[in-house]
Amino acid sequence: FEEENAPHLRRGTPRFKINSVVPGSNNGATHLSIVIQEVKDHLLTNQIKINKINMKEIARLVRNRFPGSFPGNGEIKSIKSAGRMCGNALKTAIKKYKAKQSVLTRTGNSGPPESEQDRSIRTILDIDLSAPQHNRRNATTAIPTPRGQQRRPMILNPSPIVRSDAIISRSHLTDPERAESVTALNLGVPVVDTTYRQERSRLNRDGAELR
């Protein structure tokens, strides 16, 4: 059915090439240029590195826009196959761009004006350089606490927490202050080490009610 209604997909058609024009594109854009544009938009939106991109999703986005994209050998390429081709094509395009920039840097030549594809690749590399290594998609999750156990709080600073205005002065007491403390704390009365039985006998002699 597909071969009858899609002449460009009949058997015997040329093998798919990433630089081929996307069927249905208004300006005759190639698969490579559309893939690079989708990658750039994806990086701008998510602020992630290139190696975090799911190329199958990029291929799916292209396929949703252009149902006839990624043809070859009389059949529509699967998303998995198309994603693999998108990844390889992107790596090759970036490699060529870096090689060209390296030559221009060594020779000091400004070279021809950047094409739209070159500007897109430069943007992709800039985002890849500035994006954080870890993001929400690949952030590690906290180790769960086993059921029935409570995680002890971690004390980062074991020193006691005191208010700045509550620091105790270490100055010596004056003679009047020392005398007042002795009276208030009853420090002048000698401490008698009595047993429980001796204490009850004393209370009995004093007429106290015992229980």
Side-chain angles (χ1 to χ4, degrees):
F1 179 79
E2 286 185 349
E3 294 180 3
E4 294 177 356
N5 292 275
H8 62 283
L9 297 180
R10 292 175 184 172
R11 296 192 180 278
T13 54
R15 184 179 179 181
F16 171 76
K17 294 182 179 180
I18 196 66
N19 285 315
S20 62
V21 175
V22 177
S25 59
N26 296 328
N27 55 355
T30 65
H31 284 80
L32 179 60
S33 62
I34 293 179
V35 167
I36 291 176
Q37 183 64 40
E38 290 290 350
V39 170
K40 185 186 76 171
D41 293 344
H42 191 73
L43 291 179
L44 286 172
T45 301
N46 297 280
Q47 292 298 308
I48 59 177
K49 291 189 174 295
I50 297 175
N51 60 3
K52 302 300 179 185
I53 298 177
N54 186 341
M55 296 307 297
K56 288 197 300 183
E57 292 299 323
I58 299 299
R60 184 174 287 107
L61 291 172
V62 177
R63 176 66 55 78
N64 290 340
R65 290 177 57 190
F66 306 101
S69 58
F70 304 109
N73 294 334
E75 61 181 9
I76 292 289
K77 299 292 184 182
S78 67
I79 292 298
K80 181 178 180 180
S81 177
R84 185 169 57 252
M85 289 186 292
C86 289
N88 293 335
L90 178 64
K91 290 179 181 179
T92 301
I94 291 177
K95 184 177 180 179
K96 290 182 178 180
Y97 174 82
K98 289 182 176 180
K100 182 173 66 175
Q101 294 302 313
S102 177
V103 171
L104 294 178
T105 301
R106 289 198 309 269
T107 60
N109 188 357
S110 60
E114 282 188 327
S115 64
E116 182 178 354
Q117 179 173 306
D118 288 340
R119 288 193 295 271
S120 295
I121 294 178
R122 176 162 51 83
T123 301
I124 289 172
L125 294 176
D126 290 342
I127 298 174
D128 180 72
L129 182 63
S130 62
Q133 184 64 35
H134 300 285
N135 49 67
R136 296 181 65 181
R137 291 190 172 189
N138 68 330
T140 56
T141 56
I143 300 175
T145 303
R147 183 175 299 180
Q149 298 182 11
Q150 294 183 352
R151 189 182 298 275
R152 294 184 177 180
M154 180 180 296
I155 302 177
L156 299 180
N157 185 2
S159 60
I161 301 175
V162 296
R163 291 172 49 187
S164 59
D165 57 352
I167 300 177
I168 301 175
S169 174
R170 295 183 179 272
S171 60
H172 296 287
L173 295 175
T174 62
D175 291 339
E177 291 174 340
R178 184 179 297 106
E180 183 180 355
S181 299
V182 169
T183 302
L185 299 176
N186 202 20
L187 298 178
V189 178
V191 177
V192 179
D193 186 11
T194 60
T195 64
Y196 174 74
R197 184 182 301 275
Q198 291 171 340
E199 180 66 18
R200 287 181 63 87
S201 299
R202 186 186 65 78
L203 293 175
N204 189 24
R205 290 194 303 269
D206 294 343
E209 182 181 354
L210 299 176
R211 294 183 180 180

